[in-house]
Amino acid sequence: MPFVYEHPEYWKKVLDMILSTQNTIAMERKLMVIIYEYGNPDADNVLIQLTGDHELSGLENEVEEIRKRTSIDFRFIAAKVDDWNYELSPWKAPAVFGNEDFGDGAARTLEQILTLCTDKSKAYYIGGYSLAGLFSLWAAYQTDIFSGVAAASPSVWFPGFIAYMKEHEINSETVYLSLGDREEKIRNPVMSQVGNCIQKGYDWLTKCGINCTLEWNQGNHFREPDIRTAKAFAWVLTEKERMEQGIIYNPNVSELTDE
């Protein structure tokens, strides 16, 4: 009936549906990761790194640094996100620097990452630097698809994360952690706890029987992130092979490296 279609309440509902659909599409576009690939596409080992625009220029060097440290063949996938604080954060938290709060988009980001891990004949490793390192750790609590976690200078100061680690069970059997020896020497009261937090996280994982290492690098948070992340991926790759051969090796956690 014409009266029904001309009724203002009807058109209000139609408009609400259109706006809702547009917002959903916009959100999906915002969360869509862009993929960059390196290495052997047919390799049995697949390294997946969450990254951002600020890291793209260092990816090729990172891949070369991984190759320098291991002879194991690999495919390297860099998944770029646009909204770093939203797409990589497991839950909402207030800003600790600047005015940008942390969102809770990690679950939706992980859904997209898992679409890259459908070949059950492959071994998948997840990793990243800073907040991407935190995301990688968190992801290993959500799924058992990742054989190892390469968390270089992860943002384990993130509010509530160490408590989360202790309240849940990680599914990856191999975890690499690292931190710069000057990263905790900052005035920010939250981020300055990163040294205590990563030590607590390492202690907890080893107590739980996880094959985990904590490596201390020289410098602050912004020193050689590509090399630090390369060391992380090379370690989990090599360690996985050692474990399969029945050999367990962990570097001295107090060792300071200058690579």
Side-chain angles (χ1 to χ4, degrees), residues 206-258:
T206 53
K207 181 179 180 180
C208 294
I210 303 301
N211 185 29
C212 179
T213 189
L214 170 57
E215 184 169 6
W216 292 89
N217 296 297
Q218 288 189 342
N220 61 25
H221 186 67
F222 302 100
R223 180 173 177 179
E224 300 179 331
D226 52 344
I227 294 178
R228 291 182 182 182
T229 311
K231 290 163 66 176
F233 274 120
W235 188 87
V236 293
L237 266 179
T238 305
E239 195 67 11
K240 178 67 174 178
E241 186 176 75
R242 288 194 184 103
M243 291 178 66
E244 291 174 348
Q245 296 173 355
I247 304 171
I248 302 298
Y249 169 73
N250 270 330
N252 186 337
V253 297
S254 64
E255 181 180 356
L256 190 65
T257 62
D258 187 19

Side-chain angles (χ1 to χ4, degrees), residues 88-213:
L88 298 180
S89 299
W91 50 79
K92 294 180 179 180
V96 298
F97 54 89
N99 299 315
E100 185 178 358
D101 292 338
F102 296 95
D104 57 356
R108 294 188 65 187
T109 301
L110 180 59
E111 288 179 5
Q112 296 181 64
I113 296 303
L114 291 178
T115 65
L116 305 172
C117 309
T118 57
D119 188 342
K120 302 301 182 182
S121 68
K122 308 291 186 181
Y124 297 95
Y125 302 83
I126 191 167
Y129 195 82
S130 192
L131 194 58
L134 178 88
F135 172 88
S136 300
L137 282 170
W138 171 84
Y141 284 87
Q142 316 308 310
T143 175
D144 61 0
I145 196 67
F146 303 116
S147 297
V149 178
S153 291
S155 303
V156 288
W157 48 259
F158 193 88
F161 191 74
I162 296 301
Y164 180 88
M165 291 179 66
K166 294 183 177 180
E167 293 168 1
H168 298 80
E169 183 176 353
I170 195 168
N171 295 299
S172 295
E173 56 186 3
T174 304
V175 177
Y176 174 98
L177 302 172
S178 72
L179 199 69
D181 63 332
R182 297 193 61 80
E183 291 197 45
E184 60 186 343
K185 301 182 186 303
I186 56 176
R187 294 181 180 180
N188 187 293
V190 177
M191 300 175 70
S192 64
Q193 295 302 308
V194 66
N196 291 332
C197 289
I198 203 164
Q199 189 66 57
K200 290 178 181 178
Y202 167 77
D203 291 343
W204 178 255
L205 290 175
T206 53
K207 181 179 180 180
C208 294
I210 303 301
N211 185 29
C212 179
T213 189

Side-chain angles (χ1 to χ4, degrees), residues 3-61:
F3 175 76
V4 174
Y5 294 101
E6 293 174 2
H7 196 283
E9 287 300 319
Y10 169 81
W11 289 112
K12 182 178 183 299
K13 290 180 180 179
V14 171
L15 181 60
D16 287 344
M17 290 175 63
I18 293 173
L19 291 176
S20 176
T21 301
Q22 289 177 339
N23 288 337
T24 299
I25 293 173
M27 181 66 74
E28 289 176 350
R29 287 177 179 172
K30 185 177 182 181
L31 291 179
M32 186 174 295
V33 298
I34 299 175
I35 302 302
Y36 299 82
E37 292 202 39
Y38 303 84
N40 180 4
D42 299 319
D44 292 333
N45 298 290
V46 182
L47 312 181
I48 301 175
Q49 176 177 333
L50 279 298
T51 190
D53 285 323
H54 60 290
E55 295 179 336
L56 294 181
S57 62
L59 289 178
E60 288 190 13
N61 183 62

